[in-house]
């Protein structure tokens, strides 16, 4: 397609945005993107969410989140810092932390670090134990559980009331479809852009839920941010049915731009409000004291098992 003119200023454009049916120059793309995130914020988030942590992995999504949301929080006078979770992935964790630190410094923000090592193990141990088939669950699924736990625990212990993550529209569509396929409809309520805190669970927010992965990529490029180049060395292929379903929606979206946004919006605004809560009440983990659906909680059970396996190796 020949390069067009920016819809706003008429100068030579750089970004073709199919779902807006518009070309934008660099500056006006940045403006367009920030406005999109701002609209999500104004519609779903409390005006004063309290002290906020922005969880940044160094990938394109959470780096885009960092810049766009920090701008909003700054304007609103909401105190905020960056959270990095050091999972102890050889090479990768250090490279990621360097990138996260670089971006945070550019914005004048503090980076706080939650270390898995402080709980007696690292993701490297998990990887080894999974490969040796002494733990039977995919590494990425264990890692996801660990991140959710550490994010919440760090935020709670340090007096934050909200944690923001960079989950994007691609994640949103994948999760929606897999919940529909598996019939775990109640899981969809987790997909609200803002989920209130409760007891020792701090509020969670996903301001990029209606934002395509590619939009985030363009944004970080346009603002000259740095992102992590490497992929996680422990990453295995995603579960294929879910990925294929998601890809199917995005291939229809290519022909009908904006379809995925519409689907996500209707899921959040029309479908989720009709879902009855599962009625399952949370109990308290007797080991760590955090709310959980099981006792001990998933994290404490894993921690105990890893400690046992590691000490039996030493013998
Ligand atoms: P993922 O689980 O890798 O899809 O990541 C989802 C979101 O979790 C990212 O957009 C980040 O906001 C956050 N996140 C993932 N890994 C880290 C990390 N190592 N440190 C801080 N935040 C992270
Ligand atoms: Zn322009
Ligand atoms: Zn626990």
């Amino acid at each position: 397609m020949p390069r067009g003119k920016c819809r706003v200023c008429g100068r030579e454009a750089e970004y073709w945005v199919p779902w807006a049916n518009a070309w934008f120059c660099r500056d006006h793309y940045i403006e367009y993107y920030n406005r999109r995130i701002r609209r999500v914020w104004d519609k779903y988030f409390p005006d004063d969410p309290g002290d906020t942590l922005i969880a940044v992995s160094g990938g394109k999504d959470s780096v885009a989140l960092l810049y766009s949301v920090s701008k909003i929080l700054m304007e609103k006078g909401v105190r905020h810092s960056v959270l990095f979770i050091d999972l102890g992935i050889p090479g990768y964790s250090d490279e990621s932390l360097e990138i996260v630190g670089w971006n945070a410094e550019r914005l004048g923000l503090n980076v706080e670090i939650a270390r898995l090592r402080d709980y007696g193990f690292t993701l490297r141990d998990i990887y080894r134990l999974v490969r040796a088939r002494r733990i039977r669950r995919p590494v990425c699924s264990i890692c996801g559980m660990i991140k959710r736990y550490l994010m919440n625990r760090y935020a709670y212990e340090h007096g934050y009331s909200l944690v923001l993550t960079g989950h994007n529209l691609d994640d949103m569509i994948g999760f929606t479809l897999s919940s529909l396929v598996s019939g775990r409809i109640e899981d969809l309520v987790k997909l609200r852009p803002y989920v209130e805190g409760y007891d020792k669970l701090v509020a969670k927010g996903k301001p990029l839920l209606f934002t395509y992965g590619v939009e985030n990529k363009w944004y970080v490029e346009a603002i000259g941010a740095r992102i992590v180049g490497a992929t996680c060395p422990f990453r295995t292929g995603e579960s294929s049915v879910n990925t294929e379903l998601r890809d199917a929606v995005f291939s229809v979206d290519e022909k009908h731009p904006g379809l995925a946004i519409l689907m996500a919006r209707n899921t959040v605004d029309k479908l989720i409000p009709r879902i009855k809560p599962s009625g399952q009440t949370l109990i308290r983990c007797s080991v760590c004291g955090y709310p959980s659906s099981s006792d001990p909680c998933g994290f404490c059970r894993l921690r105990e098992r890893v400690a046992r396996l590691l000490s039996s190796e030493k013998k």
Side-chain angles (χ1 to χ4, degrees):
M1 193 190 313
R3 215 168 247 238
K5 303 277 182 224
C6 172
R7 176 163 88 182
V8 183
C9 66
R11 279 184 298 168
E12 180 96 351
E14 273 183 59
Y15 298 96
W16 166 246
V17 181
W19 51 93
N21 192 27
W23 283 93
F24 292 105
C25 69
R26 201 175 67 94
D27 290 350
H28 288 117
Y29 176 70
I30 296 172
E31 193 180 277
Y32 163 79
Y33 180 95
N34 283 329
R35 201 169 49 237
R36 252 164 80 65
I37 307 306
R38 178 67 190 235
R39 238 184 261 140
V40 173
W41 189 277
D42 289 343
K43 181 162 178 195
Y44 297 102
F45 286 71
D47 207 39
D48 181 10
D51 290 3
T52 298
L53 269 179
I54 309 172
V56 185
S57 64
K60 66 178 193 325
D61 301 307
S62 56
V63 170
L65 171 77
L66 170 63
Y67 284 84
S68 56
V69 115
S70 160
K71 190 176 150 64
I72 297 172
L73 296 176
M74 202 93 79
E75 283 167 17
K76 290 187 170 287
V78 175
R79 286 207 302 178
H80 57 289
S81 302
V82 175
L83 174 67
F84 178 75
I85 302 165
D86 182 352
L87 295 154
I89 302 171
Y92 185 70
S93 289
D94 291 335
E95 181 188 335
S96 304
L97 177 57
E98 195 269 318
I99 299 277
V100 171
W102 186 90
N103 289 294
E105 197 181 318
R106 204 165 160 223
L107 292 166
L109 296 177
N110 255 357
V111 180
E112 310 212 12
I113 305 174
R115 292 188 177 84
L116 180 57
R117 205 171 287 116
D118 293 348
Y119 295 86
F121 63 104
T122 64
L123 212 68
R124 183 188 198 166
D125 298 320
I126 300 287
Y127 180 71
R128 238 171 13 85
L129 292 166
V130 169
R131 288 207 48 170
R133 318 200 80 209
R134 308 198 67 183
I135 294 180
R136 288 166 189 269
R137 183 175 163 187
V139 179
C140 296
S141 133
I142 298 175
C143 180
M145 182 269 280
I146 292 173
K147 285 188 286 196
R148 284 189 297 278
Y149 182 85
L150 291 184
M151 241 176 239
N152 179 71
R153 183 158 173 177
Y154 188 94
Y156 183 79
E157 284 180 355
H158 294 82
Y160 287 93
S161 42
L162 171 64
V163 180
L164 300 174
T165 53
H167 291 96
N168 65 21
L169 183 59
D170 312 32
D171 301 324
M172 164 80 185
I173 298 293
F175 196 93
T176 304
L177 294 169
S178 72
S179 300
L180 292 178
V181 170
S182 68
R184 280 179 282 112
I185 308 299
E186 320 81 60
D187 285 0
L188 288 173
V189 301
K190 294 183 205 153
L191 290 180
R192 282 174 296 154
Y194 177 85
V195 177
E196 308 76 17
Y198 157 79
D199 190 30
K200 282 174 141 186
L201 298 177
V202 301
K204 306 289 176 337
K206 299 182 269 294
L208 307 190
L209 216 53
F210 306 107
T211 311
Y212 292 84
V214 68
E215 279 184 87
N216 298 332
K217 188 172 133 245
W218 294 337
Y219 182 71
V220 295
E221 172 192 300
I223 61 177
R226 280 175 67 205
I227 58 172
V228 178
T231 51
C232 175
F234 295 160
R235 190 185 166 134
T236 48
E238 287 175 74
S239 91
S240 63
V241 175
N242 291 349
T243 320
E244 282 174 36
L245 282 169
R246 184 187 67 194
D247 291 350
V249 168
F250 282 97
S251 84
V252 180
D253 184 275
E254 268 176 37
K255 273 186 272 167
H256 305 277
L259 177 113
I261 302 178
L262 187 64
M263 180 173 163
R265 220 187 274 143
N266 284 332
T267 302
V268 168
D269 294 340
K270 307 261 172 66
L271 182 57
I272 292 177
R274 291 167 184 242
I275 296 173
K276 279 206 217 96
S278 67
Q280 182 198 35
T281 46
L282 287 178
I283 53 175
R284 198 175 285 281
C285 170
S286 56
V287 182
C288 69
Y290 280 80
S292 164
S293 52
S294 63
D295 180 22
C297 72
F299 182 83
C300 289
R301 245 182 308 150
L302 175 75
R303 186 184 181 189
E304 195 198 318
R305 179 159 173 74
V306 171
R308 225 176 329 113
L309 290 169
L310 291 180
S311 81
S312 77
E313 278 178 352
K314 280 194 198 113
K315 276 180 202 151

